[in-house]
Amino acid sequence: MNIVFAISEVEELVKTGGLADVGKALPLALDTLGESITIVMPYYQVLAEQLNLPTVTEQQTLFTEGQVYHFDIRYMQWHGIPIYFVDSPEYFMREGLYANAFEAYEDNGERFSFFSGAVLQTLKAIDKKPDIIHCHDWHAAMLPFLLTHDKSGYFDGTKTIFTIHNAAFQGVHKLESISFLRHHPNILAQVHGGYINMLQSGIEFATKVTTVSPNYASELLTDLGSHGLHERLVNRQADLSGILNGCDYTQWNPETDTFLPENYSVENLHPKTACKRALQEKSGLPENGNVPLIGMVCRLTEQKGFSYILPILDDLIKHNVQMAIVGTGDPKVCMDLGEFAQQHPDQFAFINGFSSEHAHLVEAGADFFLMPSQFEPCGLNQMYSLAYGTIPIVRSVGGLKDTVIDYSNDSEGTGFVFDDPTPHALLSCIRRALLAFYEDAGKFRAMQQRGMRTRFTWEAAAKNYQQLYVSTLN
């Protein structure tokens, strides 16, 4: 099958979040399975400065009523996969992908609507007739709409898959601000109160809709889980599926991780204690291997559960426990965590920033990894934690529910899971985890080893997508 990925970021080239991880890992896994993969993405300023790629066609022109768009197509081979870049300096030659240092670009709706149209024009220009165009998140959500109404006949045999990576980000913009779509003869049906919701359009017009875990697919059928899009998704329920993201175990492997002071394995966990000492030292906490250490690395946002965490810190710190949180984000959360760290320097550390070294050290050195998310489409850190023998403490949402099995007594659990979205439920879950740490070292070690033997591979994810592509074409 000829598969084209329309995506806004690819890890190793340019990245702001987990979307880029999928943009790298899934095409590579599909390529390994023998599929013909092509990627089309924007030619951002950071890419232009690093790569200086050649153009491969004459300059392209797109027409809309009242406006003419010119762009170049640039090209590179990447791990054997062809990537074509939409080069429009007016829209993509900027410091950030979606925002400057202070706020999102006001013309994001225009920029990425144009990108969706430019992907289709690029495929015509390079004479690529795909079986499937796999569109990712709101940045490429208008492509199924544009393809459906394309009158050239070029894409008559092409189907579209639209993957929702996070339904909280929907690409809602005033139609008046989107010159590329404003005069499209079929656009008014997509307008509500003067606004267009790009994610909603992707859901409506794609041949099939997917998301990044089975449980999140179920949550998207509810008002709360879909952030208001549940009616549209219920209408497409027969075409909706959840395919769990994989984990890149080449980057996240305690046996080979170069960020660690000592490497360890499921057969030999002893060097993990050296990682714990290194994490305590780096975080400014007293070095003590007998005190359970809870780690957390994330964006400091409401989504990540800080409305549950902050109210329980005073009660939590009464226990014999240490905690290290690494991340950046909401200034109010940063201030609250910083103040608490100053008040309890022997038990609580807050590192306002991010580095790969510190992130890997938390995964290896902590005894527990905390992810009490309000919602979590898939989540990757719980997968990393399992691989490193660091027990996840998670809320039963999205991909967290699909990947972490709750431990109770002699169960085959791999972590600690709570349901209710309340501080009290989180505190009770953490107390269960601490009790298990102190109660039976043998059972705790067995739980760590079960987690380390758990695998969520991109090969498995790619095979599921492969099956979806086949069923979409039949």
Side-chain angles (χ1 to χ4, degrees):
M1 290 177 287
N2 284 317
I3 314 295
V4 170
F5 272 61
I7 195 164
S8 64
E9 51 186 271
V10 173
E11 202 263 331
E12 204 176 283
L13 296 174
V14 62
K15 175 178 177 176
T16 67
L19 173 64
D21 296 306
V22 180
K24 174 187 175 182
L26 183 54
L28 290 176
L30 287 164
D31 179 68
T32 300
L33 293 177
E35 303 298 346
S36 175
I37 306 297
T38 302
I39 298 172
V40 185
M41 64 182 294
Y43 195 53
Y44 299 109
Q45 178 175 305
V46 63
L47 293 173
E49 292 172 350
Q50 292 175 2
L51 302 175
N52 191 26
L53 298 174
T55 59
V56 290
T57 66
E58 62 186 17
Q59 189 174 65
Q60 299 297 304
T61 304
L62 280 174
F63 298 94
T64 65
E65 286 191 39
Q67 194 153 344
V68 179
Y69 297 79
H70 300 289
F71 69 97
D72 287 312
I73 302 171
R74 298 184 183 268
Y75 169 82
M76 72 180 292
Q77 277 278 333
W78 174 80
H79 298 289
I81 293 174
I83 302 186
Y84 294 89
F85 297 86
V86 174
D87 181 11
S88 172
E90 178 184 356
Y91 288 148
F92 301 124
M93 210 57 62
R94 305 183 185 186
E95 184 178 339
L97 273 58
Y98 318 116
N100 58 29
F102 304 103
E103 59 185 355
Y105 296 126
E106 289 186 357
D107 62 344
N108 274 343
E110 167 73 358
R111 296 170 72 221
F112 287 99
S113 295
F114 159 75
F115 171 66
S116 290
V119 172
L120 297 179
Q121 180 61 29
T122 296
L123 296 176
K124 293 175 183 177
I126 64 174
D127 197 24
K128 167 73 74 173
K129 286 192 176 184
D131 297 305
I132 300 281
I133 303 179
H134 194 157
C135 311
H136 293 266
D137 253 0
W138 69 266
H139 320 98
M142 295 313 298
L143 193 153
F145 167 83
L146 294 170
L147 185 145
T148 299
H149 297 102
D150 181 88
K151 292 182 168 58
S152 69
Y154 190 85
F155 297 106
D156 284 355
T158 299
K159 306 295 185 182
T160 53
I161 304 290
F162 178 53
T163 295
I164 301 168
H165 293 263
N166 191 333
F169 302 102
Q170 300 182 1
V172 179
H173 300 276
K174 280 187 177 180
L175 180 63
E176 280 301 307
S177 71
I178 307 177
S179 301
F180 190 80
L181 296 175
R182 195 165 58 212
H183 300 291
H184 193 288
N186 302 98
I187 197 62
L188 289 182
Q190 302 303 301
V191 181
H192 305 278
Y195 287 82
I196 184 166
N197 183 317
M198 295 182 171
L199 203 73
Q200 183 172 294
S201 294
I203 292 165
E204 183 173 342
F205 286 95
T207 313
K208 299 283 187 181
V209 181
T210 75
T211 191
V212 291
S213 71
N215 189 57
Y216 192 57
S218 299
E219 292 175 1
L220 287 177
L221 300 175
T222 69
D223 185 18
L224 183 64
S226 69
H227 302 272
L229 290 178
H230 62 291
E231 290 182 3
R232 301 279 177 166
L233 286 155
V234 167
N235 289 339
R236 298 300 312 275
Q237 186 171 357
D239 298 314
L240 173 67
S241 58
I243 297 175
L244 188 70
N245 281 346
C247 175
D248 185 349
Y249 293 104
T250 63
Q251 290 190 38
W252 295 93
N253 182 350
E255 295 185 51
T256 58
D257 194 328
T258 57
F259 289 113
L260 307 187
E262 293 185 31
N263 295 111
Y264 60 96
S265 67
V266 66
E267 289 83 17
N268 180 20
L269 271 165
H270 183 71
K272 187 170 165 61
T273 58
C275 299
K276 183 173 182 177
R277 286 195 302 271
L279 175 60
Q280 289 169 325
E281 180 182 4
K282 190 172 180 65
S283 303
L285 294 168
E287 294 180 28
N288 186 338
N290 297 319
V291 175
L293 174 54
I294 300 172
M296 190 174 186
V297 181
C298 68
R299 299 187 313 278
L300 306 182
T301 64
E302 190 174 359
Q303 176 197 338
K304 297 301 179 180
F306 283 96
S307 61
Y308 315 139
I309 295 170
L310 292 170
I312 67 166
L313 287 180
D314 285 327
D315 287 326
L316 179 59
I317 219 72
K318 292 174 183 174
H319 297 276
N320 187 26
V321 65
Q322 292 179 341
M323 194 167 185
I325 297 179
V326 179
T328 62
D330 186 324
K332 176 68 165 61
V333 175
C334 290
M335 184 178 70
D336 289 344
L337 293 175
E339 289 180 356
F340 196 82
Q342 288 180 344
Q343 295 165 4
H344 304 275
D346 288 343
Q347 286 184 272
F348 191 91
F350 170 56
I351 296 86
N352 187 357
F354 177 84
S355 72
S356 293
E357 178 188 4
H358 216 143
H360 281 248
L361 201 55
V362 169
E363 290 291 5
D367 299 296
F368 299 98
F369 193 95
L370 185 61
M371 287 185 76
S373 304
Q374 285 190 350
F375 61 97
E376 195 68 58
C378 178
L380 289 172
N381 280 101
Q382 83 279 14
M383 298 183 190
Y384 306 155
S385 301
L386 290 168
Y388 280 66
T390 298
I391 305 300
I393 300 172
V394 305
R395 198 162 90 81
S396 181
V397 291
L400 301 177
K401 185 175 182 178
D402 289 316
T403 52
V404 181
I405 302 169
D406 186 52
Y407 175 84
S408 56
N409 301 322
D410 294 326
S411 79
E412 291 298 299
T414 56
F416 294 86
V417 184
F418 70 102
D419 294 316
D420 293 342
T422 63
H424 176 74
L426 171 59
L427 182 60
S428 296
C429 188
I430 293 175
R431 284 171 170 161
R432 276 203 300 130
L434 297 178
L435 184 61
F437 177 90
Y438 283 117
E439 199 170 45
D440 191 319
K443 288 182 180 178
F444 192 82
R445 179 62 56 87
M447 179 166 33
Q448 290 177 301
Q449 291 172 321
R450 279 196 297 274
M452 295 178 77
R453 292 189 176 102
T454 304
R455 283 292 180 265
F456 305 99
T457 67
W458 275 111
E459 180 187 11
K463 286 179 178 177
N464 286 327
Y465 277 109
Q466 199 176 36
Q467 292 170 6
L468 176 67
Y469 297 153
V470 170
S471 67
T472 302
L473 293 171
N474 291 337

